[in-house]
Amino acid sequence: MRSKKIGRNEPCPCGSGKKYKKCCYGKTLSDKNNKLQNINQILPTYHKIDFGMPILDESFFRMNTVHEISAPRLLYSSLLNPEAEKLASVITNQFLDRGIEESELIEDTDDVKKLIDMIIEGIDSLNHEKMKNKLLQHKESSIPLIINELKKPKSSQFVEIAVKIIYASGIDYSRQIFEIIENNQITPYAVSLLCMLLGFYENKKSEKILWDYYHYFYEHFHNEAYSDGPLLGLIEMRERKKEELSKNQNITMG
């Protein structure tokens, strides 16, 4: 017996009360369950986490490595290779016809708050790139609102899009990220990605926070990949220091 097809404008079968196109359309049941599980898992505030002074020598980086495949690592790669992600989005949209109505709504909307609310409710993965670019057009008004939303538990999708927008803005938001991490109880995944983002900024305070969260995640979430976020941040900081040292040596030798 063939299952009945659900219309895009019909109530979503998950029971959310929203229309199917605004809720689970284009998503799997596991996506929905992961979203709820992620939001319900909250970390203690940062002042309760302390793993001593960072010892970031070569031995530390040899003994502690990121997972071969993990969400933080994939996001890290997309930040470093935005053109590849953009191309993948263009190609995928050529072969799939879902999310068209939502895509048109994003194009026609200049209300930043409305666009952010759309991400909170959940948007089709095919429209992530378009939403990112639209909010970057209004980054002066959109990013402060996004940062404010990050102070509350949010879905993985929201955090991922938020991190991409903040990074692509080219502005140092490390102070605001510290405030989010230190003074708010948010999800492990959100802290993991925000720690990774801190690695791209020049701020001495970052090293201690990334060190603490790397060990906290490794100790309390050993079967998860949350530790990859702060570790990638520390790796990014190390690579930048190496580049600066190499430049200084070349200047001295010249």
Side-chain angles (χ1 to χ4, degrees):
M1 182 177 177
R2 301 177 70 178
S3 60
K4 180 183 176 183
K5 184 177 181 180
I6 305 169
R8 288 163 51 84
N9 290 311
E10 292 180 25
C12 186
C14 77
S16 66
K18 302 176 183 177
K19 290 183 179 180
Y20 182 48
K21 66 182 180 183
K22 293 292 186 180
C23 194
C24 292
Y25 178 68
K27 304 173 188 175
T28 65
L29 181 59
S30 61
D31 290 333
K32 190 77 173 177
N33 290 339
N34 287 340
K35 176 180 176 180
L36 294 173
Q37 183 181 17
N38 187 270
I39 290 178
N40 290 331
Q41 199 174 34
I42 307 299
L43 288 183
T45 52
Y46 175 64
H47 75 275
K48 297 180 180 179
I49 300 172
D50 186 2
F51 284 83
M53 291 302 297
I55 305 175
L56 298 170
D57 53 17
E58 288 303 312
S59 174
F60 169 81
F61 290 104
R62 282 197 305 270
M63 295 175 63
N64 299 279
T65 58
V66 297
H67 294 77
E68 185 175 349
I69 298 176
S70 71
R73 185 169 185 172
L74 290 172
L75 182 60
Y76 179 72
S77 296
S78 74
L79 296 182
L80 296 180
N81 302 283
E83 291 304 316
E85 184 176 39
K86 182 179 179 180
L87 179 60
S89 177
V90 171
I91 294 173
T92 304
N93 276 282
Q94 289 177 347
F95 291 97
L96 298 176
D97 62 356
R98 68 171 204 251
I100 295 175
E101 185 177 338
E102 183 180 76
S103 175
E104 293 173 348
L105 181 59
I106 294 171
E107 287 183 3
D108 297 337
T109 303
D110 287 315
D111 185 332
V112 170
K113 180 65 168 62
K114 186 175 181 179
L115 291 169
I116 292 173
D117 286 342
M118 286 177 65
I119 308 176
I120 293 173
E121 291 180 6
I123 62 173
D124 195 297
S125 59
L126 295 180
N127 292 321
H128 285 192
E129 185 70 13
K130 177 166 285 187
M131 179 64 84
K132 182 191 80 172
N133 292 332
K134 189 61 181 281
L135 286 172
L136 279 170
Q137 293 174 15
H138 307 280
K139 61 183 180 182
E140 292 81 7
S141 56
S142 67
I143 294 182
L145 292 176
I146 289 170
I147 287 174
N148 189 57
E149 290 295 336
L150 285 170
K151 296 176 182 178
K152 297 167 281 187
K154 286 290 180 289
S155 68
S156 298
Q157 182 189 85
F158 182 90
V159 177
E160 289 168 0
I161 296 174
V163 167
K164 290 178 181 179
I165 291 171
I166 294 171
Y167 174 80
S169 73
I171 301 171
D172 184 344
Y173 284 99
S174 57
R175 181 180 59 81
Q176 291 87 340
I177 295 172
F178 289 142
E179 199 277 328
I180 293 171
I181 293 176
E182 292 177 334
N183 301 319
N184 300 277
Q185 288 185 280
I186 53 179
T187 66
Y189 189 57
V191 172
S192 176
L193 296 192
L194 290 173
C195 283
M196 179 187 69
L197 187 57
L198 281 175
F200 289 99
Y201 302 127
E202 290 289 348
N203 197 311
K204 294 180 180 178
K205 188 176 178 181
S206 298
E207 195 173 88
K208 169 64 172 166
I209 289 179
L210 301 191
W211 169 268
D212 285 338
Y213 272 115
Y214 171 73
H215 287 89
Y216 180 85
F217 285 141
Y218 188 84
E219 182 177 298
H220 294 274
F221 297 93
H222 192 65
N223 294 324
E224 303 286 348
Y226 299 136
S227 60
D228 279 4
L231 184 55
L232 285 165
L234 290 170
I235 291 171
E236 179 67 26
M237 292 171 66
R238 180 190 64 165
E239 292 304 310
R240 192 166 57 249
K241 287 179 181 178
K242 283 184 176 181
E243 290 178 5
E244 291 173 357
L245 180 61
S246 177
K247 287 180 182 179
N248 292 335
Q249 288 176 341
N250 290 334
I251 293 172
T252 302
M253 293 175 62

